[in-house]
């Protein structure tokens, strides 16, 4: 998929994300279809993610969604898309939370948090703090939730102010308002109703219209609950009709259904039975459409309270029967959900294990593509890549680049005398000595056969000579027999050094050529020596 086409889909989806979930689902399906035609796995993963998000908002939860989520997670890691990885981990947490698996949801939120902090997606950190706070809310640990929501609010305000100052950022007014709304809900649950009302007053009216479309009904429900608890129902009445209308229209039904019931119970208590009846009918329709087994119990509890208030014995008895029936269904559903939770976690764990195996395979392939199989040293592919990068960096910083080229003296005679297996063993031992001596100070490459290449940066020439001498000293200590050498009874190496700050019109190949010439002069004078190019001249250090 072309970059422009991909971005067009992203822009269209973002435009309707919080306003029209059906439109978002339709766009994500179109994007997925086009991405499949183009065989673009990255675009497919994003399209699947948007589809999952839209389906969740529409209350269309099913078992296939977690399987799709696992595939998106795998794709995000295979193609190194950390932003998508953080989002899908968060989405998996939301799915698990909807199924009542709080522990598993928290695990996935925490994995998402690690990714977001690592890549500094500060807006996503805020979202995750909010979602983790939601877990504590569901577990009725309101103080812990409040602490997280207060942190979200502080982060959102700081990021929004930065956006206003710089014109750049990902935080809008609605992020601040969501945090304030969650804080208000915590205070309401803790019985601190004046504090809750104070936080509701902090909600900012935003130009984009998200207040009405995204969290408007949630705000009004909290106003009603707080005023009712404070005995000021007259102030709550201004919100009642809006809430009933939102319930009848199914606004945020998946998240608001039980909140609508809480308002219904308040209406019953204050004898607003006509409005309570409308709310019950709206929630009955929502429960039927969403097919939430867990919603029927609180619904029939509310019907029982309504029937008692109306003194309708027939309705009361029927509601009791339905309540008992819904309790059985709820228990069966929760038992099934626990089983599904285990199966889902097993499926997700299997997908993650598969992904880890794929990642390890990729690492193994990467290692094979970059390393010499005999010595484990880097190969010429890495040398070509890194030398260009180092040269560019040295040119910019006006620092030195150093090269050591070396080969084993009279290695052909060694092979002819001891055989190729011993020849390979000799190369391996020499490479180990070079690697151990250089350590993390440079890159060591097997250039080919018995030839080695060492790349260094920011070193003085005398420092590089010391490293070369140290390699020779280690070889003398190692005493690898070489009866056919004309300079020693043990294996030796000849070395050429070139070092300096990159000059104008000079290339890495030029520097390597100077080191090769230094090696040639060392061999010409005496094998086992070190040739050095410096100050536009050559000198040879004999051992």
């Amino acid at each position: 998929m072309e970059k422009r086409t991909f971005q067009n889909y992203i822009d269209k989806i973002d435009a309707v994300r919080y306003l029209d979930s059906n439109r978002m689902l339709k766009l994500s399906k179109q994007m997925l279809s086009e991405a499949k035609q183009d065989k673009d796995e990255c675009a497919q993963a994003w399209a699947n993610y948007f589809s999952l998000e839209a389906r969740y908002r529409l209350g269309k939860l099913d078992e296939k969604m977690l399987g799709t989520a696992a595939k998106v997670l795998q794709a995000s890691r295979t193609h190194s898309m950390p932003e998508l990885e953080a989002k899908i981990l968060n989405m998996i947490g939301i799915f698990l939370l909807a199924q009542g698996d709080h522990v598993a949801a928290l695990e996935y939120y925490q994995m998402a948090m690690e990714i977001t902090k690592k890549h500094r997606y500060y807006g996503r950190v805020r979202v995750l703090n909010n979602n983790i706070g939601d877990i504590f809310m569901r577990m009725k640990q309101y103080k812990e939730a409040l602490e997280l929501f207060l942190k979200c609010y502080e982060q959102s305000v700081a990021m929004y102010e930065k956006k206003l100052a710089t014109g750049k950022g990902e935080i809008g007014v609605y992020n601040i308002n969501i945090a304030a709304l969650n804080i208000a809900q915590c205070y309401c649950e803790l019985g601190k109703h004046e504090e809750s009302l104070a936080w509701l007053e902090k909600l900012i009216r935003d130009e984009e219209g998200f207040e009405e479309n995204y969290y408007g009904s949630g705000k009004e429900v909290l106003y009603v609950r707080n005023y009712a608890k404070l005995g000021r129902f007259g102030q709550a009445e201004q919100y009642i009709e809006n809430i009933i209308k939102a319930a009848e229209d199914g606004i945020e039904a998946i998240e608001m259904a039980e909140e609508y019931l809480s308002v219904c119970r308040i209406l019953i208590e204050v004898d607003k039975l006509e409005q309570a009846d409308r709310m019950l009918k709206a929630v009955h329709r929502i429960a039927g459409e969403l097919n939430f087994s867990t919603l029927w119990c609180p619904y029939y509890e509310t019907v029982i309270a309504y029937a008692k208030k109306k003194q309708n014995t027939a309705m009361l008895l029927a509601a009791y029967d339905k309540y008992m029936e819904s309790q059985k269904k709820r228990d069966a559903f929760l038992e099934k959900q626990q089983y599904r939770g285990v199966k889902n976690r097993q499926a997700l764990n299997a997908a993650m294990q598969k992904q880890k195996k794929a990642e390890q395979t990729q690492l193994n392939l990467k290692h094979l593509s970059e390393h010499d199989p005999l010595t484990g040293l880097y190969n010429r592919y890495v040398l070509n890549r890194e030398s260009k990068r180092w040269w560019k960096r040295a040119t910019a910083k006006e620092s030195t680049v150093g090269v050591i080229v070396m080969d084993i003296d009279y290695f052909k005679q060694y092979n002819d005398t001891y055989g190729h297996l011993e020849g390979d063993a000799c190369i391996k031992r020499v490479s180990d000595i070079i690697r151990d001596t250089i350590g993390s100070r440079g890159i060591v490459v097997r250039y080919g056969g018995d030839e080695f290449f060492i790349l260094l940066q920011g070193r003085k020439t005398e420092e590089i000579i010391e490293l070369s001498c140290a390699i020779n000293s280690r070889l003398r200590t190692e005493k690898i027999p070489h009866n056919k050498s004309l300079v020693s009874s043990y294996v030796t190496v000849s070395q050429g050094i070139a070092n300096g700050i990159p000059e104008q019109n000079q290339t890495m190949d030029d520097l390597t050529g100077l080191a090769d010439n230094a090696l040639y002069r060392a061999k010409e004078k005496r094998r086992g020596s070190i040739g050095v190019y410096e100050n536009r001249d050559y000198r040879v250090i004999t051992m």
Side-chain angles (χ1 to χ4, degrees), residues 499-512:
N499 183 54
I501 297 171
E503 298 177 4
Q504 190 174 7
N505 299 324
Q506 189 183 30
T507 66
M508 190 70 203
D509 288 340
D510 295 330
L511 188 68
T512 302

Side-chain angles (χ1 to χ4, degrees), residues 171-227:
I171 290 294
V173 168
Y174 61 92
N175 291 275
I176 299 172
N177 287 347
I178 291 168
L181 191 66
N182 285 330
I183 293 166
Q185 187 168 355
C186 279
Y187 277 124
C188 182
E189 300 295 349
L190 289 167
K192 298 182 178 182
H193 302 290
E194 293 290 0
E195 289 92 333
S196 180
L197 287 169
W199 274 95
L200 289 174
E201 291 302 317
K202 290 188 178 186
L203 269 67
I204 306 166
R205 187 171 183 83
D206 59 282
E207 295 176 1
E208 293 92 343
F210 282 111
E211 184 176 345
E212 290 75 18
N213 289 285
Y214 190 54
Y215 46 75
S217 53
K219 174 191 68 176
E220 292 178 329
V221 165
L222 279 176
Y223 270 120
V224 171
R225 289 179 62 193
N226 283 313
Y227 283 134

